[in-house]
Amino acid sequence: MDIQLLRTALLVARAGSFAAAARQLGVDPSSVSRQVAALEEALGILIFERTTRRLDPTEAGRLYLDRAASGLDAMDEAADVARDVMTEPSGLLRVTTSVAFGERWLIPRVASFHAAYPRIELDLILTDAVADLAGEGIDGALRLGPRPETGAMVAAKLFDTPYRVVASPDYLTRAGWPGSPAELASHDGLMFRLPAFRNPWHFRSARGGETLDAMPRRALTISNALALRRAALAGMGVALMADWTVADDLKSGELLNLFPNYEVSAGQFDSAAWIVYLSKAYVPMRLRAFIDHLKA
């Protein structure tokens, strides 16, 4: 039996449809359907019950895929162990993160990673959807916020992600510099389309630790952090942005930190960047190299 047929069938079961599996493989759904049909013919069983609306494993298919998946995982792990003993880190590494974090923080570090580990093929999936690592065959995810609830996964902290309230010099020339967080109420706000960011922002004094809530009036709401940064650079108002998004702009003076004596947050103050990966007995060297490179 061609093991690739089994891999395709497992992907279909995890993705829930031929079309979803085909998108992940970059092929036509009819190709996926033919591969599953070939596996069914080789086994002499029906793996999936097909209707116009649903694709569910049959009882025999579920039993087969559950046991075959364990065997396939063991084979993949054995290959990783042998490869890591004999060679430098190599193979395909699939990583996902948000579009903004990938563009602003991760991509600038990919070149140095590739130079250090040229035999690792890096497949980056930039999406604002939360990916299913096991279901989509992804090795690791970079996630932002408080420590993730990991369950069957491991979370390694990369760095803290403080937030800043920022505006451009042009905007501040027109509207004036708010002397305190409370004065934000008279300023145009550029809001990120997440519930926490559209509620009052939290301020904690670096000197006394006292906290207060404040926010500007809503002038513009945007669903993408890169576009939000662009609006702030264009002088359209005041924005609450993660430090990794605007660090270069603060250094260049294109954006200014309005409240350097305060910690600011839209939710919890202990926000950080994390790399999350499935908890396994053996972590491939290519994934360990990637984690170590990002930590460094």
Side-chain angles (χ1 to χ4, degrees):
M1 182 196 303
D2 185 350
I3 294 297
Q4 184 56 44
L5 300 181
L6 173 57
R7 293 188 187 278
T8 300
L10 285 168
L11 182 58
V12 170
R14 290 164 174 166
S17 71
F18 291 138
R23 284 194 296 271
Q24 293 186 37
L25 293 171
V27 300
D28 190 88
S30 62
S31 173
V32 173
S33 179
R34 286 194 298 271
Q35 291 184 60
V36 171
L39 179 62
E40 291 176 326
E41 183 178 356
L43 294 171
I45 65 170
L46 189 67
I47 297 176
F48 294 105
E49 192 71 49
R50 300 158 174 83
T51 69
T52 55
R53 294 188 177 182
R54 295 181 59 85
L55 181 71
D56 294 315
T58 63
E59 182 177 0
R62 180 180 57 78
L63 290 171
Y64 171 73
L65 292 177
D66 284 348
R67 296 198 177 194
S70 299
L72 194 59
D73 287 344
M75 289 174 57
D76 289 340
E77 181 176 306
D80 283 334
V81 171
R83 185 185 299 114
D84 289 349
V85 168
M86 297 300 296
T87 68
E88 62 182 290
S90 62
L92 176 64
L93 181 66
R94 304 187 75 225
V95 177
T96 185
T97 192
S98 69
V99 176
F101 191 69
E103 195 278 340
R104 292 292 293 170
W105 190 87
L106 182 56
I107 292 296
R109 290 158 177 81
V110 167
S112 58
F113 177 75
H114 178 68
Y117 303 100
R119 298 188 62 187
I120 296 178
E121 177 191 350
L122 190 58
D123 180 10
L124 296 181
I125 302 104
L126 301 186
T127 174
D128 293 328
V130 178
D132 175 5
L133 271 61
E136 299 180 40
I138 296 173
D139 298 292
L142 297 173
R143 292 178 178 165
L144 304 167
R147 184 180 186 87
E149 296 181 5
T150 53
M153 296 187 289
V154 176
K157 185 176 179 180
L158 297 177
F159 58 90
D160 293 322
T161 56
Y163 281 76
R164 318 290 184 195
V165 178
V166 300
S168 71
D170 288 345
Y171 172 81
L172 295 172
T173 298
R174 296 195 316 272
W177 193 301
S180 68
E183 293 183 18
L184 284 174
S186 62
H187 284 264
D188 292 336
L190 307 176
M191 317 303 291
F192 193 27
R193 188 180 288 280
L194 286 176
F197 286 81
R198 290 185 286 165
N199 292 327
W201 301 340
H202 306 311
F203 292 80
R204 182 165 64 190
S205 171
R207 289 172 293 190
E210 61 271 16
T211 61
L212 58 95
D213 291 345
M215 70 183 307
R217 57 175 178 260
R218 296 180 187 175
L220 177 65
T221 301
I222 303 178
S223 62
N224 179 273
L226 299 177
L228 190 66
R229 167 183 171 265
R230 181 59 58 187
L233 288 167
M236 298 179 67
V238 174
L240 176 60
M241 303 290 295
D243 189 68
W244 55 263
T245 315
V246 296
D248 292 340
D249 305 314
L250 293 171
K251 288 180 182 177
S252 68
E254 293 181 87
L255 290 176
L256 301 175
N257 181 5
L258 302 188
F259 303 107
N261 294 324
Y262 285 89
E263 296 176 74
V264 193
S265 172
Q268 301 182 25
F269 286 102
D270 58 346
S271 179
W274 309 82
I275 183 161
V276 178
Y277 55 95
L278 294 174
S279 177
K280 295 182 178 181
Y282 183 77
V283 179
M285 190 183 297
R286 59 184 177 274
L287 178 56
R288 283 181 281 154
F290 185 72
I291 294 171
D292 292 343
H293 187 82
L294 295 188
K295 284 184 174 181

